[in-house]
Amino acid sequence: IYQKNGIYHNVIDVQYENSFLKSFVEEAAEKDRERVAKFFSQENVQNIYHHNGKRTIEFRTWKADKNRYEWVKFRIQFERQSSNNELLMIAYSNDINDEKSRQLEYEYKAQRDGLTGLYNRQTFNQFVDDYLKDKKSVSDYCAYMIVDLDNFKSINDSLGHSTGDEVIQKVATLLESICFNSGYVGRFGGDEFVIFLYAQESYAEIENKAREIIRRIEGIKMDSIHDITASIGITFVTDEKHHRILFDKSDQALYVSKKSGKCRYYVYVNEK
């Protein structure tokens, strides 16, 4: 028996996996379907009953009357019929779309830099550490980059902080466009950005991305006087297991880029 929108539906006379479960999975959003199928599977329902497993699930389901997906929460409980003592599973649904939307918005803002929408320091560092912990393949070429705008103070001093903010936002947009499918991009404050690239084909591909970043930042024009350029420090990931090590190495490489004339990148070299 399941209750949806205040109406009870008896599905005792249908095949559980092929009829009842199929209807739930088909109505669920594509990214949620595997979770829904696993939760409502007979194996999991029996586990919930015998071992007091988790009894609730939240997912997005199709609302035909609104022509969109909305969040719902299902809760499973078990009751025995008084007439024949037969055990029933009852699945109750609640509409949680409004509260879930507020929760997701709060979580998004908590993870993001307010000006650019990039990951903030804490979230970026956590993603990098999680990736490093799970990294297993030596053929998975990864790199950590620090991107720092050159002479950015002169932009703020000459054109104003609102123009400076606009430059920061433009840089953030292009960094995401270059790295969106295989990297994390964050802003640590001011004009300092960080990038973690993963699943690259080679170290040469990583350096090509660095060249593209430098070239496209040079293409940002706010007036006819001020050039906008960036310097980059790069560390190729080997066996590091913490973001702090990669940041420190990339920071050293960035220092070399700045001292060598700016508007360029430098790859950290282990001197041991």
Side-chain angles (χ1 to χ4, degrees), residues 106-114 117-132 144 183-188 194 196 243:
Y106 174 80
E107 291 175 356
Y108 177 88
K109 289 180 177 179
Q111 293 180 340
R112 301 285 174 162
D113 168 63
L118 299 178
Y119 291 121
N120 59 28
R121 180 186 293 264
Q122 182 179 1
T123 303
F124 179 87
N125 288 342
Q126 187 61 58
F127 281 165
V128 172
D129 285 343
D130 289 345
Y131 193 93
L132 294 175
Y144 193 107
Y184 309 126
V185 184
R187 179 181 178 229
F188 278 10
V194 284
F196 184 79
H243 70 269

Side-chain angles (χ1 to χ4, degrees), residues 45-60:
V45 170
Q46 290 176 14
N47 178 64
I48 293 172
Y49 177 71
H50 290 291
H51 304 289
N52 197 28
K54 184 178 179 182
R55 296 185 175 220
T56 62
I57 183 174
E58 298 176 357
F59 62 94
R60 291 156 292 186

Side-chain angles (χ1 to χ4, degrees), residues 72-244:
V72 295
K73 179 177 182 178
F74 268 87
R75 173 177 55 85
I76 284 178
Q77 72 177 50
F78 301 93
E79 295 182 6
R80 290 195 179 274
Q81 296 188 94
S82 57
S83 57
N84 58 11
N85 204 37
E86 187 174 67
L87 182 67
L88 298 178
M89 178 195 82
I90 304 179
Y92 294 93
S93 68
N94 294 98
D95 182 354
I96 61 167
N97 194 63
D98 290 343
E99 62 186 87
K100 190 68 176 181
S101 297
R102 287 192 296 269
Q103 174 193 337
L104 293 174
E105 182 180 5
Y106 174 80
E107 291 175 356
Y108 177 88
K109 289 180 177 179
Q111 293 180 340
R112 301 285 174 162
D113 168 63
L115 178 63
T116 64
L118 299 178
Y119 291 121
N120 59 28
R121 180 186 293 264
Q122 182 179 1
T123 303
F124 179 87
N125 288 342
Q126 187 61 58
F127 281 165
V128 172
D129 285 343
D130 289 345
Y131 193 93
L132 294 175
K133 182 176 63 177
D134 295 335
K135 184 178 183 292
K136 296 179 176 64
S137 173
V138 294
S139 62
D140 181 8
Y141 293 96
C142 305
Y144 193 107
M145 295 185 184
I146 301 177
V147 180
D148 191 86
L149 299 184
D150 299 322
N151 306 314
F152 184 69
K153 186 175 183 299
S154 66
I155 299 291
N156 280 333
D157 292 345
S158 302
L159 303 180
H161 286 276
S162 60
T163 301
D165 286 349
E166 187 178 349
V167 171
I168 293 295
Q169 290 169 330
K170 288 179 179 292
V171 171
T173 298
L174 74 84
L175 293 180
E176 277 203 306
S177 70
I178 294 171
C179 308
F180 76 96
N181 61 341
S182 56
Y184 309 126
V185 184
R187 179 181 178 229
F188 278 10
D191 59 329
E192 185 176 74
F193 301 87
V194 284
I195 300 169
F196 184 79
L197 291 174
Y198 56 85
Q200 304 297 295
E201 293 183 359
S202 64
Y203 291 139
E205 182 185 14
I206 293 168
E207 292 192 52
N208 286 337
K209 280 188 168 63
R211 295 188 189 97
E212 183 181 1
I213 289 170
I214 290 171
R215 176 181 58 80
R216 289 180 59 179
I217 289 177
E218 280 189 285
I220 298 175
K221 302 296 182 184
M222 305 307 291
D223 65 4
S224 59
I225 300 175
H226 295 86
D227 293 326
I228 299 172
T229 63
S231 299
I232 303 176
I234 304 174
T235 299
F236 295 144
V237 179
T238 53
D239 57 354
E240 295 87 355
K241 296 301 180 184
H242 196 271
H243 70 269
R244 170 52 64 183

Side-chain angles (χ1 to χ4, degrees), residues 29-43:
E30 185 174 354
K31 290 184 178 180
D32 296 334
R33 287 174 185 170
E34 184 176 349
R35 286 194 306 111
V36 173
K38 184 177 180 179
F39 180 82
F40 283 107
S41 68
Q42 291 191 53
E43 180 182 1

